[in-house]
Amino acid sequence: FQAEDGIRDSVASRGLGDVYKRQPPLVSVVCATMGSRAAFHGLLLECFRRQTWPAKELIVYDTGGAPSPTLRDAGDARYVHAPTHVTLGAKRRLLLGLARGKVVAHFDDDNVYGPDYLATMVPHCAAAELGKKSRRPETLPEKRAARRRRRRCTIYRRFLG
């Protein structure tokens, strides 16, 4: 697990560093796509496979006429194909229901993600989540800074209770 030193120290100081080293949380990478975007499906798989985060799963919900051969034949992805069109919001709700991880990351099929994307973002989100719960900011600048930290976190932390 690789991350920036400051974030690693922040997470470790709150007691999560050792937990992540022993057993990193499962990250569910979800992607909503459609048949007309089949040209991007190989890119999506490649970006997912190159992620350095050890515990991850890929779940793809595809709508369109024919199933994507690239995704259908990928052994390391859970692939759901539906021939009827549904909205992006409905696809994402379905994907969240299928996700098993404590952390959910939304990947777009036409974006490129560096190999350390998950390894960098998961500790950032953990630090932001812990910082949010530690104490309530007293002043307006502290409140704004806390809001900015939470907005920068582009993957969603799910707590399964």
Side-chain angles (χ1 to χ4, degrees):
F1 148 78
Q2 298 172 346
E4 298 172 16
D5 289 337
I7 297 301
R8 186 182 298 125
D9 294 343
S10 173
V11 172
S13 70
R14 290 179 167 96
L16 285 181
D18 292 335
V19 173
Y20 279 10
K21 286 177 187 171
R22 283 194 310 266
Q23 185 176 6
L26 177 64
V27 175
S28 295
V29 176
V30 298
C31 179
T33 189
M34 56 191 350
S36 63
R37 302 179 66 78
F40 298 114
H41 294 166
L43 173 67
L44 169 67
L45 278 175
E46 190 63 30
C47 286
F48 172 76
R49 289 174 177 160
R50 289 181 183 241
Q51 292 299 308
T52 59
W53 188 261
K56 60 187 182 290
E57 67 173 349
L58 176 63
I59 310 165
V60 181
Y61 188 85
D62 178 19
T63 56
S68 167
T70 305
L71 294 170
R72 184 189 59 215
D73 299 336
D76 54 349
R78 288 191 338 198
Y79 176 67
V80 178
H81 177 262
T84 57
H85 176 73
V86 295
T87 65
L88 179 61
K91 288 179 188 178
R92 286 189 172 165
R93 282 190 297 278
L94 190 140
L95 286 164
L96 287 173
L98 293 172
R100 296 184 305 219
K102 289 197 176 222
V103 179
V104 176
H106 290 272
F107 273 24
D108 289 328
D109 53 10
D110 61 348
N111 286 358
V112 176
Y113 298 89
D116 290 331
Y117 179 79
L118 294 177
T120 301
M121 293 306 294
V122 171
H124 271 284
C125 289
E129 187 66 31
L130 288 170
K132 183 176 77 174
K133 290 182 176 182
S134 64
R135 69 173 181 87
R136 295 193 78 58
E138 300 298 325
T139 66
L140 187 57
E142 286 178 337
K143 288 180 183 178
R144 287 182 181 151
R147 231 178 292 139
R148 279 193 303 274
R149 279 193 306 274
R150 284 193 297 274
R151 264 189 252 136
R152 274 189 235 127
C153 187
T154 60
I155 60 178
Y156 302 95
R157 179 149 178 91
R158 249 180 37 177
F159 295 96
L160 304 175

